[in-house]
């Protein structure tokens, strides 16, 4: 599979990660704000898909770089995505108040928007065109 195909596959993962977290919110709302195995499970599915989906952006940013740089960036992007969840949660709790819906879910809301942007732009990313090799 070429780079463009991987960009598209990981873009779909980003969109599915955002969808999983939207399902998480629906599950929490259906339960009246409580947590259950369903929303906790969907949270982790969304987290894994978000980490995979981050590769869509990373692959586009490292186009033309060596395999070592690309691989390191993809792994680093996935780790950063996972670390953003608690980091943004701390910020949203500080801004909106701990225990509030906005405080608890605000960080994930920021990531959902980012995943939607990464996913849509990854699916719309143009294929790279290679110049023809001169004969001779």
């Amino acid at each position: 599979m070429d780079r463009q195909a991987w960009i598209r596959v990981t873009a779909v993962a980003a969109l599915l990660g955002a969808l999983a977290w939207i399902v998480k919110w629906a599950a929490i709302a259906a339960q009246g704000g409580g947590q259950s195995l369903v929303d906790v499970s969907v949270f982790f599915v969304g987290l894994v898909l978000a980490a995979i989906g981050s590769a869509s952006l990373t692959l586009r940013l490292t186009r033309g770089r060596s395999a070592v740089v690309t691989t390191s960036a993809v792994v680093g992007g996935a780790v950063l995505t996972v670390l953003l969840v608690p980091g943004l949660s701390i910020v949203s709790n500080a801004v909106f108040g701990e225990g509030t819906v906005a405080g608890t879910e605000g960080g994930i809301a920021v990531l959902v928007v980012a995943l939607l942007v990464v996913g849509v732009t990854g699916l719309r990313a143009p294929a790279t065109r290679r110049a023809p090799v001169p004969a001779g």
Side-chain angles (χ1 to χ4, degrees):
M1 204 163 24
D2 68 343
R3 179 182 289 262
Q4 193 61 35
W6 280 112
I7 289 171
R8 293 186 191 289
V9 167
T10 55
V12 170
L15 293 172
L16 291 174
L19 179 63
W21 282 341
I22 292 169
V23 168
K24 170 192 177 302
W25 293 330
I28 290 172
Q31 301 168 109
Q35 285 191 337
S36 72
L37 183 60
V38 172
D39 62 89
V40 172
S41 299
V42 174
F43 167 79
F44 284 109
V45 168
L47 183 60
V48 169
L49 289 168
I52 293 168
S54 70
S56 179
L57 177 62
T58 309
L59 288 169
R60 285 180 277 153
L61 292 174
T62 59
R63 183 170 280 139
R65 306 283 184 199
S66 71
V68 172
V69 170
T70 300
T71 303
S72 299
V74 167
V75 171
V79 170
L80 177 62
T81 300
V82 171
L83 292 177
L84 278 173
V85 173
L88 288 173
S89 178
I90 291 168
V91 171
S92 65
N93 275 316
V95 170
F96 298 111
E98 196 162 337
T100 64
V101 174
T104 305
E105 300 297 327
I108 292 177
V110 169
L111 286 175
V112 165
V113 171
L115 288 171
L116 291 172
V117 169
V118 167
V120 169
T121 58
L123 290 176
R124 294 178 50 113
T128 56
R129 297 186 190 267
R130 296 184 182 207
V133 178

